[in-house]
Amino acid sequence: GFGVISIENNTINYQYAEYFDKVTNNQMELKAILHVFKLAAADKDYQYIIYSDSAYSVNMINNWIYTWATNNWKNSKN
C-alpha cells in the first residue's frame, strides 16, 4: 500500500491511503507518485514534494524521463 500525508503547522495530516493485493514494490511506488501527480493537477496552488526510497522511482522522475521524452517515449526496440 501507500499513503499520502500533508504537514501544516507542524501537524501531520493523513490525506490518503490505499492497499492493493498482488503487486510489486515498484508498482506501488509508481502508483503513489501518480496519485500525487493527480493531486498536484487538481490543486496547482499547493506545493507537493515526493519522498521515495526507491532508486527506480527517483531516477525515473529526475533523470530517465528526459531521455524518454526526447525519444518520443520509445525504447531502443521502438
Side-chain angles (χ1 to χ4, degrees):
F2 70 88
V4 177
I5 64 169
S6 67
I7 302 174
E8 295 179 35
N9 299 322
N10 293 324
T11 302
I12 296 175
N13 302 303
Y14 293 92
Q15 300 292 329
Y16 185 82
E18 192 165 355
Y19 170 80
F20 295 87
D21 197 22
K22 298 181 182 177
V23 294
T24 67
N25 61 319
N26 283 338
Q27 288 172 314
M28 289 310 300
E29 293 279 354
L30 297 178
K31 282 184 182 292
I33 291 169
L34 180 60
H35 185 80
V36 175
F37 284 169
K38 289 177 182 178
L39 289 173
D43 184 3
K44 295 182 180 5
D45 294 331
Y46 191 81
Q47 180 182 4
Y48 291 85
I49 300 171
I50 298 172
Y51 293 95
S52 176
D53 64 351
S54 166
Y56 174 78
S57 297
V58 171
N59 284 324
M60 178 191 65
I61 291 174
N62 292 328
N63 302 314
W64 303 336
I65 196 167
Y66 301 108
T67 303
W68 295 341
T70 300
N71 293 336
N72 200 27
W73 305 102
K74 295 179 183 179
N75 65 16
S76 62
K77 297 177 183 176
N78 286 324

